[in-house]
PDB file of all heavy atoms in Angstrom:
ATOM      1  N   ALA A  10     244.961  37.129 192.845  1.00  0.00           N
ATOM      2  CA  ALA A  10     245.098  36.141 191.767  1.00  0.00           C
ATOM      3  C   ALA A  10     245.395  34.749 192.318  1.00  0.00           C
ATOM      4  O   ALA A  10     244.896  33.741 191.790  1.00  0.00           O
ATOM      5  CB  ALA A  10     246.215  36.572 190.812  1.00  0.00           C
ATOM      6  N   MET A  11     246.173  34.678 193.406  1.00  0.00           N
ATOM      7  CA  MET A  11     246.504  33.372 193.988  1.00  0.00           C
ATOM      8  C   MET A  11     245.263  32.706 194.592  1.00  0.00           C
ATOM      9  O   MET A  11     245.138  31.481 194.579  1.00  0.00           O
ATOM     10  CB  MET A  11     247.588  33.523 195.050  1.00  0.00           C
ATOM     11  CG  MET A  11     248.960  33.918 194.511  1.00  0.00           C
ATOM     12  SD  MET A  11     249.551  32.854 193.166  1.00  0.00           S
ATOM     13  CE  MET A  11     249.548  31.245 193.951  1.00  0.00           C
ATOM     14  N   PHE A  12     244.341  33.494 195.112  1.00  0.00           N
ATOM     15  CA  PHE A  12     243.085  32.927 195.611  1.00  0.00           C
ATOM     16  C   PHE A  12     242.325  32.254 194.471  1.00  0.00           C
ATOM     17  O   PHE A  12     241.732  31.181 194.646  1.00  0.00           O
ATOM     18  CB  PHE A  12     242.209  34.017 196.238  1.00  0.00           C
ATOM     19  CG  PHE A  12     242.587  34.367 197.648  1.00  0.00           C
ATOM     20  CD1 PHE A  12     242.748  35.688 198.031  1.00  0.00           C
ATOM     21  CD2 PHE A  12     242.771  33.383 198.606  1.00  0.00           C
ATOM     22  CE1 PHE A  12     243.090  36.015 199.336  1.00  0.00           C
ATOM     23  CE2 PHE A  12     243.104  33.698 199.913  1.00  0.00           C
ATOM     24  CZ  PHE A  12     243.265  35.023 200.282  1.00  0.00           C
ATOM     25  N   VAL A  13     242.321  32.886 193.302  1.00  0.00           N
ATOM     26  CA  VAL A  13     241.616  32.324 192.148  1.00  0.00           C
ATOM     27  C   VAL A  13     242.298  31.037 191.690  1.00  0.00           C
ATOM     28  O   VAL A  13     241.631  30.033 191.397  1.00  0.00           O
ATOM     29  CB  VAL A  13     241.562  33.352 191.005  1.00  0.00           C
ATOM     30  CG1 VAL A  13     240.908  32.739 189.767  1.00  0.00           C
ATOM     31  CG2 VAL A  13     240.791  34.597 191.444  1.00  0.00           C
ATOM     32  N   LEU A  14     243.622  31.037 191.626  1.00  0.00           N
ATOM     33  CA  LEU A  14     244.357  29.825 191.237  1.00  0.00           C
ATOM     34  C   LEU A  14     244.068  28.675 192.200  1.00  0.00           C
ATOM     35  O   LEU A  14     243.817  27.540 191.785  1.00  0.00           O
ATOM     36  CB  LEU A  14     245.862  30.112 191.202  1.00  0.00           C
ATOM     37  CG  LEU A  14     246.416  30.830 189.977  1.00  0.00           C
ATOM     38  CD1 LEU A  14     247.883  31.177 190.190  1.00  0.00           C
ATOM     39  CD2 LEU A  14     246.273  29.954 188.739  1.00  0.00           C
ATOM     40  N   SER A  15     244.112  28.971 193.487  1.00  0.00           N
ATOM     41  CA  SER A  15     243.853  27.938 194.498  1.00  0.00           C
ATOM     42  C   SER A  15     242.439  27.391 194.367  1.00  0.00           C
ATOM     43  O   SER A  15     242.215  26.180 194.473  1.00  0.00           O
ATOM     44  CB  SER A  15     244.062  28.515 195.907  1.00  0.00           C
ATOM     45  OG  SER A  15     245.399  28.957 196.084  1.00  0.00           O
ATOM     46  N   ALA A  16     241.476  28.277 194.141  1.00  0.00           N
ATOM     47  CA  ALA A  16     240.080  27.853 194.025  1.00  0.00           C
ATOM     48  C   ALA A  16     239.875  26.983 192.791  1.00  0.00           C
ATOM     49  O   ALA A  16     239.114  26.006 192.827  1.00  0.00           O
ATOM     50  CB  ALA A  16     239.166  29.075 193.970  1.00  0.00           C
ATOM     51  N   GLY A  17     240.552  27.318 191.691  1.00  0.00           N
ATOM     52  CA  GLY A  17     240.422  26.530 190.471  1.00  0.00           C
ATOM     53  C   GLY A  17     240.899  25.100 190.671  1.00  0.00           C
ATOM     54  O   GLY A  17     240.253  24.143 190.224  1.00  0.00           O
ATOM     55  N   ILE A  18     242.016  24.950 191.370  1.00  0.00           N
ATOM     56  CA  ILE A  18     242.548  23.608 191.632  1.00  0.00           C
ATOM     57  C   ILE A  18     241.633  22.842 192.582  1.00  0.00           C
ATOM     58  O   ILE A  18     241.338  21.663 192.384  1.00  0.00           O
ATOM     59  CB  ILE A  18     243.978  23.709 192.191  1.00  0.00           C
ATOM     60  CG1 ILE A  18     244.917  24.250 191.102  1.00  0.00           C
ATOM     61  CG2 ILE A  18     244.468  22.353 192.689  1.00  0.00           C
ATOM     62  CD1 ILE A  18     246.315  24.561 191.579  1.00  0.00           C
ATOM     63  N   ALA A  19     241.141  23.534 193.626  1.00  0.00           N
ATOM     64  CA  ALA A  19     240.255  22.872 194.598  1.00  0.00           C
ATOM     65  C   ALA A  19     238.914  22.526 193.970  1.00  0.00           C
ATOM     66  O   ALA A  19     238.351  21.454 194.232  1.00  0.00           O
ATOM     67  CB  ALA A  19     240.053  23.773 195.810  1.00  0.00           C
ATOM     68  N   ARG A  20     238.383  23.418 193.123  1.00  0.00           N
ATOM     69  CA  ARG A  20     237.035  23.226 192.559  1.00  0.00           C
ATOM     70  C   ARG A  20     236.985  22.068 191.576  1.00  0.00           C
ATOM     71  O   ARG A  20     235.916  21.500 191.329  1.00  0.00           O
ATOM     72  CB  ARG A  20     236.599  24.523 191.861  1.00  0.00           C
ATOM     73  CG  ARG A  20     235.132  24.576 191.483  1.00  0.00           C
ATOM     74  CD  ARG A  20     234.262  24.678 192.711  1.00  0.00           C
ATOM     75  NE  ARG A  20     232.846  24.533 192.410  1.00  0.00           N
ATOM     76  CZ  ARG A  20     232.212  23.389 192.226  1.00  0.00           C
ATOM     77  NH1 ARG A  20     232.882  22.256 192.311  1.00  0.00           N
ATOM     78  NH2 ARG A  20     230.932  23.352 191.963  1.00  0.00           N
ATOM     79  N   THR A  21     238.131  21.688 191.007  1.00  0.00           N
ATOM     80  CA  THR A  21     238.145  20.574 190.064  1.00  0.00           C
ATOM     81  C   THR A  21     238.401  19.237 190.744  1.00  0.00           C
ATOM     82  O   THR A  21     238.458  18.198 190.073  1.00  0.00           O
ATOM     83  CB  THR A  21     239.233  20.800 188.992  1.00  0.00           C
ATOM     84  OG1 THR A  21     240.506  20.969 189.642  1.00  0.00           O
ATOM     85  CG2 THR A  21     238.925  22.031 188.157  1.00  0.00           C
ATOM     86  N   GLY A  22     238.580  19.258 192.056  1.00  0.00           N
ATOM     87  CA  GLY A  22     238.768  18.002 192.784  1.00  0.00           C
ATOM     88  C   GLY A  22     240.174  17.445 192.685  1.00  0.00           C
ATOM     89  O   GLY A  22     240.399  16.277 193.042  1.00  0.00           O
ATOM     90  N   ALA A  23     241.129  18.268 192.216  1.00  0.00           N
ATOM     91  CA  ALA A  23     242.491  17.770 192.066  1.00  0.00           C
ATOM     92  C   ALA A  23     243.087  17.316 193.400  1.00  0.00           C
ATOM     93  O   ALA A  23     243.868  16.360 193.448  1.00  0.00           O
ATOM     94  CB  ALA A  23     243.373  18.855 191.439  1.00  0.00           C
ATOM     95  N   LEU A  24     242.693  17.991 194.501  1.00  0.00           N
ATOM     96  CA  LEU A  24     243.255  17.642 195.805  1.00  0.00           C
ATOM     97  C   LEU A  24     242.625  16.385 196.381  1.00  0.00           C
ATOM     98  O   LEU A  24     243.194  15.753 197.278  1.00  0.00           O
ATOM     99  CB  LEU A  24     243.070  18.812 196.782  1.00  0.00           C
ATOM    100  CG  LEU A  24     243.737  20.127 196.392  1.00  0.00           C
ATOM    101  CD1 LEU A  24     243.510  21.178 197.466  1.00  0.00           C
ATOM    102  CD2 LEU A  24     245.224  19.937 196.158  1.00  0.00           C
ATOM    103  N   GLN A  25     241.434  16.013 195.897  1.00  0.00           N
ATOM    104  CA  GLN A  25     240.761  14.824 196.430  1.00  0.00           C
ATOM    105  C   GLN A  25     241.518  13.544 196.099  1.00  0.00           C
ATOM    106  O   GLN A  25     241.298  12.505 196.727  1.00  0.00           O
ATOM    107  CB  GLN A  25     239.336  14.724 195.885  1.00  0.00           C
ATOM    108  CG  GLN A  25     238.268  15.301 196.798  1.00  0.00           C
ATOM    109  CD  GLN A  25     238.315  16.813 196.859  1.00  0.00           C
ATOM    110  OE1 GLN A  25     239.038  17.448 196.125  1.00  0.00           O
ATOM    111  NE2 GLN A  25     237.537  17.397 197.750  1.00  0.00           N
ATOM    112  N   ALA A  26     242.415  13.623 195.122  1.00  0.00           N
ATOM    113  CA  ALA A  26     243.159  12.435 194.716  1.00  0.00           C
ATOM    114  C   ALA A  26     244.050  11.903 195.825  1.00  0.00           C
ATOM    115  O   ALA A  26     244.475  10.742 195.787  1.00  0.00           O
ATOM    116  CB  ALA A  26     244.004  12.760 193.483  1.00  0.00           C
ATOM    117  N   VAL A  27     244.331  12.735 196.822  1.00  0.00           N
ATOM    118  CA  VAL A  27     245.250  12.295 197.892  1.00  0.00           C
ATOM    119  C   VAL A  27     244.579  11.356 198.884  1.00  0.00           C
ATOM    120  O   VAL A  27     245.247  10.751 199.708  1.00  0.00           O
ATOM    121  CB  VAL A  27     245.816  13.508 198.659  1.00  0.00           C
ATOM    122  CG1 VAL A  27     246.502  14.464 197.724  1.00  0.00           C
ATOM    123  CG2 VAL A  27     244.717  14.224 199.436  1.00  0.00           C
ATOM    124  N   THR A  28     243.246  11.219 198.816  1.00  0.00           N
ATOM    125  CA  THR A  28     242.554  10.361 199.770  1.00  0.00           C
ATOM    126  C   THR A  28     243.108   8.946 199.741  1.00  0.00           C
ATOM    127  O   THR A  28     243.374   8.333 200.778  1.00  0.00           O
ATOM    128  CB  THR A  28     241.040  10.327 199.474  1.00  0.00           C
ATOM    129  OG1 THR A  28     240.547  11.650 199.402  1.00  0.00           O
ATOM    130  CG2 THR A  28     240.294   9.571 200.547  1.00  0.00           C
ATOM    131  N   SER A  29     243.278   8.400 198.547  1.00  0.00           N
ATOM    132  CA  SER A  29     243.783   7.026 198.433  1.00  0.00           C
ATOM    133  C   SER A  29     245.202   6.924 198.971  1.00  0.00           C
ATOM    134  O   SER A  29     245.585   5.900 199.557  1.00  0.00           O
ATOM    135  CB  SER A  29     243.738   6.571 196.973  1.00  0.00           C
ATOM    136  OG  SER A  29     244.503   7.443 196.149  1.00  0.00           O
ATOM    137  N   ILE A  30     245.992   7.990 198.805  1.00  0.00           N
ATOM    138  CA  ILE A  30     247.364   7.969 199.314  1.00  0.00           C
ATOM    139  C   ILE A  30     247.366   7.942 200.838  1.00  0.00           C
ATOM    140  O   ILE A  30     248.145   7.210 201.460  1.00  0.00           O
ATOM    141  CB  ILE A  30     248.148   9.197 198.792  1.00  0.00           C
ATOM    142  CG1 ILE A  30     248.195   9.184 197.268  1.00  0.00           C
ATOM    143  CG2 ILE A  30     249.549   9.243 199.376  1.00  0.00           C
ATOM    144  CD1 ILE A  30     248.844  10.401 196.657  1.00  0.00           C
ATOM    145  N   LEU A  31     246.480   8.731 201.446  1.00  0.00           N
ATOM    146  CA  LEU A  31     246.382   8.729 202.900  1.00  0.00           C
ATOM    147  C   LEU A  31     246.041   7.335 203.418  1.00  0.00           C
ATOM    148  O   LEU A  31     246.624   6.848 204.391  1.00  0.00           O
ATOM    149  CB  LEU A  31     245.319   9.730 203.358  1.00  0.00           C
ATOM    150  CG  LEU A  31     245.644  11.214 203.232  1.00  0.00           C
ATOM    151  CD1 LEU A  31     244.424  12.052 203.600  1.00  0.00           C
ATOM    152  CD2 LEU A  31     246.814  11.595 204.120  1.00  0.00           C
ATOM    153  N   LEU A  32     245.096   6.680 202.763  1.00  0.00           N
ATOM    154  CA  LEU A  32     244.661   5.358 203.214  1.00  0.00           C
ATOM    155  C   LEU A  32     245.743   4.306 203.000  1.00  0.00           C
ATOM    156  O   LEU A  32     245.920   3.395 203.811  1.00  0.00           O
ATOM    157  CB  LEU A  32     243.384   4.957 202.475  1.00  0.00           C
ATOM    158  CG  LEU A  32     242.125   5.775 202.814  1.00  0.00           C
ATOM    159  CD1 LEU A  32     240.969   5.391 201.898  1.00  0.00           C
ATOM    160  CD2 LEU A  32     241.725   5.568 204.265  1.00  0.00           C
ATOM    161  N   GLN A  33     246.487   4.412 201.900  1.00  0.00           N
ATOM    162  CA  GLN A  33     247.493   3.405 201.577  1.00  0.00           C
ATOM    163  C   GLN A  33     248.754   3.558 202.421  1.00  0.00           C
ATOM    164  O   GLN A  33     249.337   2.574 202.862  1.00  0.00           O
ATOM    165  CB  GLN A  33     247.860   3.481 200.086  1.00  0.00           C
ATOM    166  CG  GLN A  33     246.736   3.000 199.162  1.00  0.00           C
ATOM    167  CD  GLN A  33     247.067   3.228 197.692  1.00  0.00           C
ATOM    168  OE1 GLN A  33     248.197   3.570 197.344  1.00  0.00           O
ATOM    169  NE2 GLN A  33     246.076   3.053 196.824  1.00  0.00           N
ATOM    170  N   TRP A  34     249.184   4.809 202.641  1.00  0.00           N
ATOM    171  CA  TRP A  34     250.466   5.046 203.293  1.00  0.00           C
ATOM    172  C   TRP A  34     250.342   5.375 204.781  1.00  0.00           C
ATOM    173  O   TRP A  34     251.328   5.293 205.514  1.00  0.00           O
ATOM    174  CB  TRP A  34     251.197   6.208 202.602  1.00  0.00           C
ATOM    175  CG  TRP A  34     251.583   5.942 201.186  1.00  0.00           C
ATOM    176  CD1 TRP A  34     251.395   4.793 200.470  1.00  0.00           C
ATOM    177  CD2 TRP A  34     252.210   6.875 200.299  1.00  0.00           C
ATOM    178  NE1 TRP A  34     251.859   4.943 199.193  1.00  0.00           N
ATOM    179  CE2 TRP A  34     252.381   6.214 199.050  1.00  0.00           C
ATOM    180  CE3 TRP A  34     252.646   8.184 200.426  1.00  0.00           C
ATOM    181  CZ2 TRP A  34     252.957   6.834 197.961  1.00  0.00           C
ATOM    182  CZ3 TRP A  34     253.230   8.806 199.337  1.00  0.00           C
ATOM    183  CH2 TRP A  34     253.390   8.124 198.112  1.00  0.00           C
ATOM    184  N   GLY A  35     249.151   5.766 205.215  1.00  0.00           N
ATOM    185  CA  GLY A  35     249.004   6.279 206.572  1.00  0.00           C
ATOM    186  C   GLY A  35     249.292   5.272 207.666  1.00  0.00           C
ATOM    187  O   GLY A  35     249.861   5.614 208.701  1.00  0.00           O
ATOM    188  N   GLY A  36     248.906   4.012 207.460  1.00  0.00           N
ATOM    189  CA  GLY A  36     249.162   2.986 208.468  1.00  0.00           C
ATOM    190  C   GLY A  36     248.389   3.214 209.758  1.00  0.00           C
ATOM    191  O   GLY A  36     247.456   4.010 209.825  1.00  0.00           O
ATOM    192  N   ARG A  37     248.795   2.525 210.818  1.00  0.00           N
ATOM    193  CA  ARG A  37     248.114   2.602 212.111  1.00  0.00           C
ATOM    194  C   ARG A  37     248.899   3.427 213.126  1.00  0.00           C
ATOM    195  O   ARG A  37     248.377   3.816 214.162  1.00  0.00           O
ATOM    196  CB  ARG A  37     247.903   1.200 212.687  1.00  0.00           C
ATOM    197  CG  ARG A  37     247.228   0.211 211.756  1.00  0.00           C
ATOM    198  CD  ARG A  37     245.817   0.593 211.379  1.00  0.00           C
ATOM    199  NE  ARG A  37     244.944   0.761 212.532  1.00  0.00           N
ATOM    200  CZ  ARG A  37     243.653   1.041 212.454  1.00  0.00           C
ATOM    201  NH1 ARG A  37     243.088   1.209 211.258  1.00  0.00           N
ATOM    202  NH2 ARG A  37     242.916   1.186 213.537  1.00  0.00           N
ATOM    203  N   SER A  38     250.160   3.696 212.841  1.00  0.00           N
ATOM    204  CA  SER A  38     251.001   4.450 213.779  1.00  0.00           C
ATOM    205  C   SER A  38     250.707   5.943 213.682  1.00  0.00           C
ATOM    206  O   SER A  38     250.681   6.499 212.574  1.00  0.00           O
ATOM    207  CB  SER A  38     252.483   4.194 213.474  1.00  0.00           C
ATOM    208  OG  SER A  38     253.299   5.176 214.049  1.00  0.00           O
ATOM    209  N   PRO A  39     250.496   6.636 214.836  1.00  0.00           N
ATOM    210  CA  PRO A  39     250.264   8.090 214.791  1.00  0.00           C
ATOM    211  C   PRO A  39     251.400   8.842 214.100  1.00  0.00           C
ATOM    212  O   PRO A  39     251.145   9.788 213.340  1.00  0.00           O
ATOM    213  CB  PRO A  39     250.160   8.472 216.269  1.00  0.00           C
ATOM    214  CG  PRO A  39     249.705   7.227 216.953  1.00  0.00           C
ATOM    215  CD  PRO A  39     250.351   6.105 216.205  1.00  0.00           C
ATOM    216  N   ALA A  40     252.637   8.435 214.358  1.00  0.00           N
ATOM    217  CA  ALA A  40     253.783   9.113 213.737  1.00  0.00           C
ATOM    218  C   ALA A  40     253.732   8.969 212.216  1.00  0.00           C
ATOM    219  O   ALA A  40     253.947   9.926 211.473  1.00  0.00           O
ATOM    220  CB  ALA A  40     255.092   8.547 214.283  1.00  0.00           C
ATOM    221  N   ARG A  41     253.443   7.761 211.761  1.00  0.00           N
ATOM    222  CA  ARG A  41     253.385   7.524 210.315  1.00  0.00           C
ATOM    223  C   ARG A  41     252.229   8.290 209.691  1.00  0.00           C
ATOM    224  O   ARG A  41     252.347   8.823 208.582  1.00  0.00           O
ATOM    225  CB  ARG A  41     253.243   6.024 210.054  1.00  0.00           C
ATOM    226  CG  ARG A  41     253.220   5.670 208.576  1.00  0.00           C
ATOM    227  CD  ARG A  41     253.244   4.164 208.371  1.00  0.00           C
ATOM    228  NE  ARG A  41     253.076   3.823 206.975  1.00  0.00           N
ATOM    229  CZ  ARG A  41     253.072   2.582 206.488  1.00  0.00           C
ATOM    230  NH1 ARG A  41     253.241   1.561 207.338  1.00  0.00           N
ATOM    231  NH2 ARG A  41     252.907   2.350 205.213  1.00  0.00           N
ATOM    232  N   GLN A  42     251.098   8.361 210.370  1.00  0.00           N
ATOM    233  CA  GLN A  42     249.949   9.092 209.853  1.00  0.00           C
ATOM    234  C   GLN A  42     250.288  10.570 209.667  1.00  0.00           C
ATOM    235  O   GLN A  42     249.958  11.172 208.641  1.00  0.00           O
ATOM    236  CB  GLN A  42     248.763   8.939 210.806  1.00  0.00           C
ATOM    237  CG  GLN A  42     248.184   7.532 210.861  1.00  0.00           C
ATOM    238  CD  GLN A  42     247.358   7.260 212.098  1.00  0.00           C
ATOM    239  OE1 GLN A  42     247.164   8.162 212.928  1.00  0.00           O
ATOM    240  NE2 GLN A  42     246.890   6.047 212.261  1.00  0.00           N
ATOM    241  N   ILE A  43     250.957  11.161 210.663  1.00  0.00           N
ATOM    242  CA  ILE A  43     251.285  12.587 210.584  1.00  0.00           C
ATOM    243  C   ILE A  43     252.355  12.850 209.538  1.00  0.00           C
ATOM    244  O   ILE A  43     252.295  13.853 208.807  1.00  0.00           O
ATOM    245  CB  ILE A  43     251.715  13.102 211.976  1.00  0.00           C
ATOM    246  CG1 ILE A  43     250.491  13.102 212.914  1.00  0.00           C
ATOM    247  CG2 ILE A  43     252.307  14.504 211.893  1.00  0.00           C
ATOM    248  CD1 ILE A  43     250.803  13.441 214.357  1.00  0.00           C
TER     249      ILE A  43
END
């Protein structure tokens, strides 16, 4: 059942929303990026 829940969230693109956060907060420092 957890596989189905995970797939539903991934298939709707809900996780893609973090792209902008990575770009805004990641910076140039390796430590900050990680």
